[in-house]
Amino acid sequence: MSNNPFWDFSLQHYASESVQILCLQLQEQGCANVNLVLFSQWLALRGRCFNADLMAAHRELNDWHERVVVPLRRARNAIKKTDWQATQSLYDGVKRSELDAERVEQDMLFCHKEKFPLAPDQPLLQDLARCNLQAYLQTLSLTTDQVELFSAQIVAAVFK
């Protein structure tokens, strides 16, 4: 256990093959931030509502993601596509750095958890999780059908 319960939640659920596959599909198809996908679900466990406007206001988080996490991911993927055996240690190092950068991003999100409002009337966990995820996914370049489908699938995979 770490001192960040959101990180622990993410490690536990991302270890599920179905969650991982769905998150990576969202990342590829809609340019989703997997940390925000998982954060929306973790907030539901805490009875809090994800707010896309509030999230967009966190410039340091958005800057970190775009200037650090995404370039590390691109570098890792570029290295992965090479056939040269000597790149394995470089690949491993960049992969570790990407994971470290993701951890920093999750620490930033965790620090802002109290800014997200408590859900009114204590809805069912899965309903709040779906509503939270849809609030995030609607900010991406996804169709309404994709938002509904991914929301249903991810919530089912996380809260099985």
Side-chain angles (χ1 to χ4, degrees):
M1 289 295 250
S2 72
N3 60 352
N4 181 340
F6 170 46
W7 178 252
D8 298 333
F9 170 89
S10 296
L11 290 178
Q12 175 190 352
H13 292 285
Y14 197 76
S16 161
E17 185 178 0
S18 59
V19 171
Q20 189 176 118
I21 288 169
L22 288 165
C23 285
L24 292 175
Q25 284 176 345
L26 261 175
Q27 183 176 287
E28 291 171 19
Q29 291 178 24
C31 296
N33 178 335
V34 171
N35 284 331
L36 293 180
V37 169
L38 295 169
F39 189 60
S40 73
Q41 302 305 280
W42 182 79
L43 283 174
L45 275 176
R46 302 295 178 265
R48 295 191 175 272
C49 297
F50 182 88
N51 181 306
D53 292 335
L54 181 61
M55 203 64 255
H58 293 296
R59 283 199 186 130
E60 84 258 3
L61 176 83
N62 297 323
D63 285 349
W64 180 262
H65 184 76
E66 291 303 318
R67 294 179 187 201
V68 179
V69 176
V70 172
L72 284 168
R73 181 176 305 123
R74 284 187 189 130
R76 178 181 53 80
N77 286 332
I79 295 165
K80 186 178 183 179
K81 292 177 183 175
T82 65
D83 292 331
W84 200 37
Q85 293 294 327
T87 62
Q88 186 62 46
S89 66
L90 178 60
Y91 175 84
D92 293 342
V94 172
K95 186 176 179 180
R96 274 190 306 278
S97 294
E98 182 186 0
L99 186 61
D100 289 345
E102 298 258 8
R103 173 68 188 263
V104 169
E105 185 173 281
Q106 287 210 359
D107 287 344
M108 289 178 188
L109 286 165
F110 182 71
C111 288
H112 293 293
K113 67 187 177 300
E114 300 297 326
K115 294 179 181 176
F116 292 86
L118 289 169
D121 303 326
Q122 295 190 337
L124 294 173
L125 172 62
Q126 291 180 332
D127 291 341
L128 180 56
R130 188 170 24 266
C131 183
N132 280 356
L133 185 53
Q134 287 176 349
Y136 170 58
L137 295 182
Q138 289 168 351
T139 68
L140 306 176
S141 59
L142 296 169
T143 67
T144 302
D145 289 344
Q146 288 174 310
V147 167
E148 290 178 16
L149 181 62
F150 275 117
S151 296
Q153 290 176 329
I154 288 175
V155 169
V158 170
F159 299 107
K160 49 185 161 179

